[in-house]
Amino acid sequence: MSVIVYTENWDGKFKKSSYELVSYAHALASELGVETIAISIGQVPEDQLNALANYGANKVLCVKNPELAVLDNAAYASAIARAAKANNAQVVVFANNFTGKAVAPRVAVKLEAGMANSVTTLPLSFSPFVVQKNIFNGKAQGNLQINSNIKVLSLAQNSFGVKESSVSLTIENFDAQLDSSKFNTELIEKNTVSGKIILTDAELVVSGGRGMKSPDNWGPLEELAAILGAGTACSRPVADEGWRPHSEHVGQTGKVIAPNLYIALGISGAIQHLAGVSSSKVIVAVNTDPEAPFFEAADYGILGDVNKILPKLVEAAKAFKAHS
Amino acid sequence: MKILVCLSNVPDTTTKIKLNGDQSALDMTGVQWVINPWDELALTRALDLKEKSEGKIDTITVITVGESLTEPTIRKALAVGADDAVRINLNPTDDYEVASNIAAWVKNNPYNIILTGIESSDYNGSAVGGMLAEFLKIPSVSSVSFLDMEGDKPLMKREIPGGTETIRVPMPFVAIVQKGIALDPRIPAMRGIMMARKKELTVVEPAGEGSKSTYIGFAMPKAKAKVKMIDAENAGQLITLLHEEAKVI
Amino acid sequence: MNFQFTEEQLMIQQAARDYAQRELIKDVLERDEKALYPTEHVKNLAELGFLGMLVSEKWDGGGMDTVSYVLAMEEISKVDASASVIMSVNNSLVCYGLEKFGNDAQREKYLRPLARGKKIGAFLLSEPEAGSDATKQRTTAVDMGDYYLLNGTKNWITNGNTASTYLVIAHTHPEKGHRGINVFIVERHSEGITVGPHENKMGMRSSDTHSVMFNDVKVPKENRIGEDGFGFKFAMKTLEGGRIGIASQALGIASGALELATKYAKERKAFGTEIINHQAIAFKLADMAVKVENARNLCLKAAWLKDQGQAYGTASAMAKMYAADIAMEVTTEAVQIHGGYGYVKEYHVERLMREAKLTQIYEGTSEVQKIIISRSLME
């Protein structure tokens, strides 16, 4: 019996979110009294794999079938489902991220499992098995009872946190026995922006809205983000106007993020925007309008023209970094 | 060539969420129902593709798993240009049930391309597309922000963390689309509304599997503490507070 | 009684709302400020079918009922009454007049492009010295055998410059009084037509209002609508329907102002709470809401009567008078609720207040509506 957790790697490395996921799976496995087994796909150095022990993984299954070189949703699902069956998994845990969304639903069907995504807590009860998850983009929480024998969960980012718990870990290779003729996702081109902080991973996010007045005013915002090591984001009108790329748009129809810190500069806080950021741990709102809804959702607020306030923040951030 | 677009019927995204007295259900009185925004973008792209396909794309069908109250949103899809519609007469409990029932229809009525939105704005499920593809044993591609035909071959881009991948999979397949796939959804024209009267809306009884999960209660998020205002003149103080008090930097 | 809208009516309402809230809102302030005609919007509204929505499918219209028209007019007018008056004149005066009273040749040539919104129409009745009293027309059309020779000046003509097709009311036999009046289809670019400068209006500044002068303009015989002497009846009948359009416009202006004022009152705080929690504001909003609802019911009743083929002249006069008057009241209160913000342009309510004023004046002043209503009591 086991809890299986799919730990994704990026160029052979795990991220904090991977550790959060293992921490969660371990907590779940402890409650169930079973093993925590991580699945890793592709080439990952041994020191990286060993690090998973620090968060409670008892075993890592390394899957290196060539069919998995490119993300083919069906192939990944086959591999993970096979591992889950071979290890008598009770629960399979994914991150509620790009890969999780692509693969978890297929795994659920293969295992005839009920699925809950964007889960925010450990199960409220195990019999029946009930988890809490975000609904309406975090505007409410739903308690979902899963009735199948096996359960598939995907965890909302930053909802559980990284928890250390050292166990001893074994590394095993696992042959997923894939039939290559069945999988044919053809990768034609890959475009990645290097060096840039990936918005959905970012711990800190600095975001601009229409109150920035002009796309030419983004310099100080980017400078602040660079000093803090933050990702940059924007509101929908700004993306629609073409001031910023759509990839930066956060909100109901854009990206949904949950960083530790979200600084909203000149964004009024329309309900659709808040839906994309309300799970952030700390929110700062800067706006000229004292009635801006963002002040209701924020932890810290500054009333004033963002273009006058930004230089002060940049200066303070510089001083802070110089001293720390 | 035939395209199927899966539509979910959801409360308008500006809806204020309320719970009933014992928190066992969401209070849906007075809610305005709309096509799930991502599904609507999928439909918009399907229509764009059909219009420029020079007849290669024959029909666009929309499908919804829902009871008769979903018909106004289905009619809207027909009014903006879908050719016909299917409604599976079932108030579904989870994504598994939705996907399984759509799969049951598609097994007897094949399509070349199936489009779904990446998630629904109500229960944020984001599983129907992947589950449907698995039930049908066909490829699925997630987070698709671009879909076009290169001759007879569809080409897609998917948004990966920090970039995009251009990929191709053989038909039939399920594309799970997100923002970027199309611009603003279409507004139905009078002509479209008139034509929608004559388009076929087939109602079928469920033939798929039942659900695997069910909601047993709801809660509202905890109220946030009141905002702490910082004087604009001393805006720099924010950085200190974020470090010392909030401990996030 | 059935107060339930059909699925289709709701879809049209939503389509109008989407267009208004998504597109018209973007540049409405700038167009108002600079008195710019909404060229692109008119093209888009035509493509969506709003400009000919009441015309039957046979003549390339939308084939929609008048109830749908009221719903659409309200939604468009909430955001932009300049756009909605263009829509109203084209639909309920020009297209309606041509479809109802024109012959097939006239419908084929003139109605079809108007119904598709490919061309825009204007209704030329008002004169410098004949506004409310339509029988005092000074514009004359003299029968020259093969054609009529048209002379005179028309004032306050909506779509005066952009229209391609004019419906012109003129005296052919001044001695016969209102029985000597006729209506003619006149092409905008006919020889002898001069369009005056754009009127610099208080509100609805984005619609083009002009005077139009006719100097020996030759109008083909076949362009007269109806029997000789039909013009006065034509004008009265057409204006009956036109009133539903303007009534719905006034309704939209009022309901738009109510929505903005309510939203503002829920956000704005004074004395430690949102101002909607102060009875002074809450009761104002309650009064406004009742007025808007009454106006809506009057508009829908008139539209329903028209759709049922029943007499609606008095009902449409009631709707027009009431909706216009309450639009003025509701917009004034909306400005008051906004306080200082209400007096500046970016909050929209001062513009709605300026727009509301015109609805009490054009297509029959509130006073003229009272004449119509009171005459119905005398019968």
Side-chain angles (χ1 to χ4, degrees), chain A residues 106 117 133 136 143 189 300, chain B residues 122-125 134 166 245:
Chain A
R106 299 197 71 130
N117 69 326
K133 65 165 295 229
F136 290 93
N143 298 337
E189 199 184 358
Y300 298 96
Chain B
D122 49 3
Y123 297 101
N124 305 143
E134 189 59 43
T166 307
E245 191 178 87

Side-chain angles (χ1 to χ4, degrees), chain C residues 317-346:
Chain C
M318 286 183 181
K320 159 78 166 69
M321 183 204 92
Y322 184 77
D325 288 351
I326 67 103
M328 201 62 240
E329 293 163 19
V330 169
T331 53
T332 307
E333 289 291 43
V335 171
Q336 188 68 20
I337 289 169
H338 278 75
Y341 290 104
Y343 205 66
V344 295
K345 293 192 182 281
E346 55 187 289

Side-chain angles (χ1 to χ4, degrees), chain C residues 168-362:
Chain C
V168 183
I169 313 289
H171 254 303
T172 44
H173 306 283
E175 73 287 357
K176 289 188 185 170
H178 69 271
R179 286 191 186 81
I181 291 174
N182 269 297
V183 56
F184 302 95
I185 305 164
V186 181
E187 291 180 23
R188 156 75 175 83
H189 291 289
S190 311
E191 204 176 321
I193 292 180
T194 314
V195 173
H198 183 117
E199 299 290 354
N200 190 9
K201 302 193 297 292
M202 169 179 170
M204 303 213 198
R205 294 172 51 76
S206 173
S207 81
D208 69 326
T209 309
H210 295 261
S211 56
V212 180
M213 282 142 287
F214 300 94
N215 185 12
D216 285 345
V217 177
K218 288 182 183 171
V219 181
K221 267 280 172 77
E222 67 265 25
N223 279 18
R224 192 189 74 209
I225 297 177
E227 295 293 305
D228 194 10
F230 179 66
F232 186 74
K233 202 170 171 202
F234 174 91
M236 294 305 113
K237 281 281 164 204
T238 307
L239 285 170
E240 275 186 3
R243 289 199 287 270
I244 298 178
I246 300 305
S248 317
Q249 179 185 56
L251 161 66
I253 293 169
S255 66
L258 173 63
E259 280 179 15
L260 290 171
T262 307
K263 180 167 177 279
Y264 183 82
K266 283 181 183 169
E267 288 170 0
R268 169 77 182 188
K269 286 182 187 155
F271 305 106
T273 180
E274 287 79 13
I275 61 172
I276 196 165
N277 297 322
H278 297 301
Q279 208 175 65
I281 301 297
F283 279 17
K284 261 192 216 299
L285 288 166
D287 286 338
M288 290 157 75
V290 173
K291 286 172 182 173
V292 167
E293 190 61 23
N294 270 336
R296 188 177 289 125
N297 286 336
L298 285 170
C299 288
L300 290 169
K301 172 80 179 296
W304 182 83
L305 287 170
K306 180 164 176 262
D307 289 338
Q308 301 302 311
Q310 299 184 33
Y312 61 94
T314 308
S316 70
M318 286 183 181
K320 159 78 166 69
M321 183 204 92
Y322 184 77
D325 288 351
I326 67 103
M328 201 62 240
E329 293 163 19
V330 169
T331 53
T332 307
E333 289 291 43
V335 171
Q336 188 68 20
I337 289 169
H338 278 75
Y341 290 104
Y343 205 66
V344 295
K345 293 192 182 281
E346 55 187 289
Y347 284 78
H348 295 279
V349 283
E350 67 82 31
R351 178 174 57 80
L352 293 174
M353 185 175 154
R354 287 185 280 115
E355 286 169 348
K357 188 65 219 170
L358 189 48
T359 65
Q360 291 181 305
I361 297 171
Y362 67 3

Side-chain angles (χ1 to χ4, degrees), chain B residues 11 26 35 63 69 88 118 131 141 157 196 202 204 209 214 222 227:
Chain B
L26 297 165
I35 304 175
I63 190 165
L69 78 88
I88 300 176
I118 192 158
M131 286 181 168
V141 182
K157 282 186 185 166
T202 309
V204 295
E209 292 182 46
T214 176
K222 288 180 210 90
V227 62

Side-chain angles (χ1 to χ4, degrees), chain B residues 78-190:
Chain B
L78 293 172
V80 295
D83 297 289
D84 49 30
V86 179
R87 179 170 71 79
I88 300 176
N89 191 25
L90 163 73
N91 186 14
T93 308
D94 68 358
D95 290 354
Y96 201 95
E97 195 173 22
V98 171
S100 159
N101 276 285
I102 295 176
W105 167 265
V106 174
K107 275 174 191 160
N108 296 318
N109 302 274
Y111 299 86
N112 304 86
I113 300 176
I114 301 175
L115 300 177
T116 71
I118 192 158
E119 69 174 58
S120 63
S121 61
D122 49 3
Y123 297 101
N124 305 143
S126 72
V128 168
M131 286 181 168
L132 175 59
E134 189 59 43
F135 278 119
L136 296 169
K137 303 282 173 220
I138 60 175
S140 61
V141 182
S142 285
S143 305
V144 174
S145 61
F146 174 86
L147 166 63
D148 208 349
M149 302 298 291
E150 274 197 340
D152 293 336
K153 283 185 168 178
L155 190 73
M156 280 171 278
K157 282 186 185 166
R158 64 181 174 196
E159 298 285 314
I160 59 167
T164 57
E165 285 181 349
T166 307
I167 61 166
R168 190 175 290 162
V169 294
M171 291 190 285
F173 63 86
V174 177
I176 301 154
V177 308
Q178 66 166 52
K179 188 171 162 90
I181 189 77
L183 294 172
D184 281 334
R186 297 183 181 199
I187 296 172
M190 300 299 148

